[in-house]
Amino acid sequence: MNFMYRIAQFFQGRYGIDKFCYFLLILYCLLCMVNIFTRSVIVTIIALLIAAFAVYRTLSRNIVQRQKEARVFDKIFNHIKYFFTSIRTRIMQSKTYCFHTCPHCKARLRLPRKKGKHTVSCPRCKQDFKMRVWF
Ligand SMILES: [Zn+2]
């Protein structure tokens, strides 16, 4: 009981584990798996630095700075997630829709797939442009 109390006292006021920490640990595991085949000293050092940073973040008392790092990580992670989600959506809808970029404002447009030449009016910049759907 005394030992558990001491552990609880040690972790009080520390940042703990978040999504960025899980990402760092997964990255560490991947680098360790890569290192099984490559046996590189540089990869080992990088993996250990990543693991040390993950442990440092978990035990850190500077919660404001750790939350800033987590916010930056979330922002980057959401951009990457949106990129792959949009590619998946485009592939899944490619039979019924075709996707074009407006030449004036660079907006991504989802248009019904109809073979032939069409005049398209962009909903964002209200300008017309011609396009052709081949198949
Ligand atoms: Zn436009």
Side-chain angles (χ1 to χ4, degrees), residues 102-107 109 122-127 129:
C102 173
H104 307 290
C105 69
K106 309 293 181 205
L109 305 175
C122 175
R124 191 198 275 176
C125 65
K126 311 289 183 206
Q127 294 201 14
F129 64 94

Short mmCIF file of all heavy atoms in Angstrom, two decimals, residues 102-107 109 122-127 129, ligand 1:
data_model
loop_
_atom_site.label_atom_id
_atom_site.label_comp_id
_atom_site.label_asym_id
_atom_site.label_seq_id
_atom_site.Cartn_x
_atom_site.Cartn_y
_atom_site.Cartn_z
N CYS A 102 -10.95 24.16 -60.12
CA CYS A 102 -11.32 25.39 -60.80
C CYS A 102 -10.04 26.12 -61.23
O CYS A 102 -9.15 26.32 -60.40
CB CYS A 102 -12.14 26.27 -59.86
SG CYS A 102 -12.48 27.91 -60.53
N PRO A 103 -9.92 26.51 -62.52
CA PRO A 103 -8.69 27.19 -62.96
C PRO A 103 -8.56 28.61 -62.40
O PRO A 103 -7.46 29.16 -62.42
CB PRO A 103 -8.83 27.21 -64.49
CG PRO A 103 -10.27 27.06 -64.75
CD PRO A 103 -10.86 26.28 -63.61
N HIS A 104 -9.64 29.20 -61.89
CA HIS A 104 -9.59 30.57 -61.40
C HIS A 104 -9.25 30.64 -59.90
O HIS A 104 -8.38 31.40 -59.50
CB HIS A 104 -10.92 31.27 -61.66
CG HIS A 104 -11.36 31.18 -63.09
ND1 HIS A 104 -10.71 31.87 -64.09
CD2 HIS A 104 -12.33 30.46 -63.69
CE1 HIS A 104 -11.29 31.59 -65.25
NE2 HIS A 104 -12.28 30.73 -65.04
N CYS A 105 -9.96 29.84 -59.09
CA CYS A 105 -9.75 29.93 -57.64
C CYS A 105 -9.14 28.66 -57.04
O CYS A 105 -8.94 28.61 -55.83
CB CYS A 105 -11.06 30.26 -56.92
SG CYS A 105 -12.26 28.93 -56.96
N LYS A 106 -8.86 27.68 -57.85
CA LYS A 106 -8.24 26.41 -57.41
C LYS A 106 -9.10 25.61 -56.43
O LYS A 106 -8.57 24.78 -55.68
CB LYS A 106 -6.85 26.64 -56.79
CG LYS A 106 -5.90 27.46 -57.64
CD LYS A 106 -5.53 26.75 -58.89
CE LYS A 106 -4.56 27.60 -59.71
NZ LYS A 106 -4.59 27.28 -61.12
N ALA A 107 -10.41 25.84 -56.44
CA ALA A 107 -11.30 25.07 -55.59
C ALA A 107 -11.49 23.67 -56.19
O ALA A 107 -11.53 23.52 -57.41
CB ALA A 107 -12.65 25.76 -55.46
N LEU A 109 -13.72 20.73 -57.20
CA LEU A 109 -15.14 20.60 -57.50
C LEU A 109 -15.49 19.13 -57.74
O LEU A 109 -14.76 18.41 -58.40
CB LEU A 109 -15.50 21.41 -58.74
CG LEU A 109 -15.12 22.88 -58.72
CD1 LEU A 109 -15.42 23.52 -60.07
CD2 LEU A 109 -15.85 23.59 -57.62
N CYS A 122 -18.34 27.69 -61.34
CA CYS A 122 -17.75 27.42 -60.03
C CYS A 122 -18.62 28.04 -58.93
O CYS A 122 -18.97 29.22 -59.00
CB CYS A 122 -16.34 28.01 -59.97
SG CYS A 122 -15.58 27.84 -58.35
N PRO A 123 -19.01 27.25 -57.92
CA PRO A 123 -19.86 27.80 -56.85
C PRO A 123 -19.12 28.79 -55.94
O PRO A 123 -19.76 29.59 -55.28
CB PRO A 123 -20.30 26.57 -56.08
CG PRO A 123 -19.30 25.53 -56.39
CD PRO A 123 -18.75 25.84 -57.75
N ARG A 124 -17.80 28.75 -55.94
CA ARG A 124 -17.06 29.65 -55.04
C ARG A 124 -16.81 31.01 -55.69
O ARG A 124 -17.14 32.04 -55.11
CB ARG A 124 -15.73 29.02 -54.66
CG ARG A 124 -15.06 29.80 -53.52
CD ARG A 124 -13.60 29.50 -53.39
NE ARG A 124 -13.35 28.32 -52.57
CZ ARG A 124 -12.14 27.83 -52.38
NH1 ARG A 124 -11.09 28.38 -52.95
NH2 ARG A 124 -11.97 26.76 -51.65
N CYS A 125 -16.23 31.01 -56.92
CA CYS A 125 -15.87 32.29 -57.55
C CYS A 125 -16.87 32.72 -58.62
O CYS A 125 -16.72 33.79 -59.21
CB CYS A 125 -14.46 32.22 -58.13
SG CYS A 125 -14.28 31.05 -59.49
N LYS A 126 -17.89 31.89 -58.90
CA LYS A 126 -18.98 32.20 -59.84
C LYS A 126 -18.50 32.40 -61.28
O LYS A 126 -19.19 33.00 -62.08
CB LYS A 126 -19.77 33.44 -59.40
CG LYS A 126 -20.22 33.44 -57.96
CD LYS A 126 -21.30 32.45 -57.70
CE LYS A 126 -21.75 32.54 -56.25
NZ LYS A 126 -22.30 31.31 -55.74
N GLN A 127 -17.32 31.92 -61.64
CA GLN A 127 -16.83 32.05 -63.01
C GLN A 127 -17.06 30.75 -63.76
O GLN A 127 -17.03 29.67 -63.18
CB GLN A 127 -15.35 32.41 -63.00
CG GLN A 127 -15.11 33.78 -62.41
CD GLN A 127 -13.78 34.35 -62.85
OE1 GLN A 127 -13.16 33.86 -63.79
NE2 GLN A 127 -13.36 35.40 -62.18
N PHE A 129 -16.09 27.94 -66.75
CA PHE A 129 -14.96 27.38 -67.49
C PHE A 129 -15.44 26.11 -68.19
O PHE A 129 -16.43 25.50 -67.78
CB PHE A 129 -13.75 27.13 -66.60
CG PHE A 129 -13.96 26.09 -65.53
CD1 PHE A 129 -13.59 24.78 -65.76
CD2 PHE A 129 -14.50 26.43 -64.30
CE1 PHE A 129 -13.77 23.82 -64.78
CE2 PHE A 129 -14.69 25.47 -63.32
CZ PHE A 129 -14.31 24.17 -63.56
ZN ZN B 1 -13.60 28.93 -58.82
#
